[in-house]
Amino acid sequence: MTALRITHVEHRRRTPRPFIDLAGFFLFFGISGVDHGREARMQRRFEEETFPHHVTVQITPALAPGRYRLDGLPEDVGGRPWAVRRAGQATTALSDDGWIAFQAWQHGGRRDVRAVPLAGV
C-alpha cells in the first residue's frame, strides 16, 4: 500500500445520453436476430445513469498508471476503482451518494489516503 495525499479535486457532472432501443422497430418489420452487443450497451447505460459524477484528483506522490482502490475515503468512494492514466491524476465515476460522502470527507479536512493496486484489471 502506498500512502498519498489528495491536493486538488475537479468535479464534472455528466448527463446521460438518450437511450434509443431499435429492437422493437426491427421486430415490427419482421427482422429479428441475436443482438450480441446488447448486454454491454445495457451495462454502459447503467453505469452512465448510476454514476454521473466524474471526479479527478491530483495526488502526491505520483502513482504509476493503473487501477487502484483508495483506502481512507468513505466506503462508497474508496471501493470504486480509481484509474491513473497520467502520473499524479486519479479519476473515477461516483453516484450521487458517493459524491456527497466524498464532499463531506473533503470538508472534514482529511486528505491522506492509501493506494491499493487492483490486480488483474
Side-chain angles (χ1 to χ4, degrees):
M1 287 197 289
T2 305
L4 47 99
R5 184 169 185 81
I6 295 177
T7 59
H8 181 70
V9 177
E10 293 180 22
H11 170 259
R12 182 173 48 95
R13 182 172 172 87
R14 298 182 294 192
T15 54
R17 293 174 280 148
F19 181 73
I20 301 171
D21 190 4
L22 298 175
F25 174 77
F26 289 118
L27 192 58
F28 177 77
F29 288 104
I31 303 170
S32 64
V34 177
D35 188 358
H36 296 288
R38 187 173 198 285
E39 187 174 327
R41 283 195 316 274
M42 295 304 287
Q43 179 64 30
R44 194 168 46 246
R45 178 182 178 198
F46 171 78
E47 291 282 332
E48 286 178 3
E49 290 177 355
T50 306
F51 303 105
H53 299 278
H54 185 76
V55 179
T56 302
V57 295
Q58 293 283 358
I59 52 178
T60 55
L63 290 171
R67 293 172 59 95
Y68 296 87
R69 184 182 80 235
L70 298 181
D71 290 341
L73 292 173
E75 186 177 331
D76 292 347
V77 180
R80 299 278 303 154
W82 288 79
V84 176
R85 291 189 181 89
R86 290 191 296 156
Q89 282 191 341
T91 305
T92 194
L94 299 175
S95 65
D96 292 331
D97 293 339
W99 173 240
I100 291 169
F102 182 75
Q103 285 181 313
W105 175 84
Q106 184 180 0
H107 292 306
R110 299 184 201 129
R111 296 289 183 169
D112 296 325
V113 294
R114 290 168 308 284
V116 179
L118 295 176
V121 181

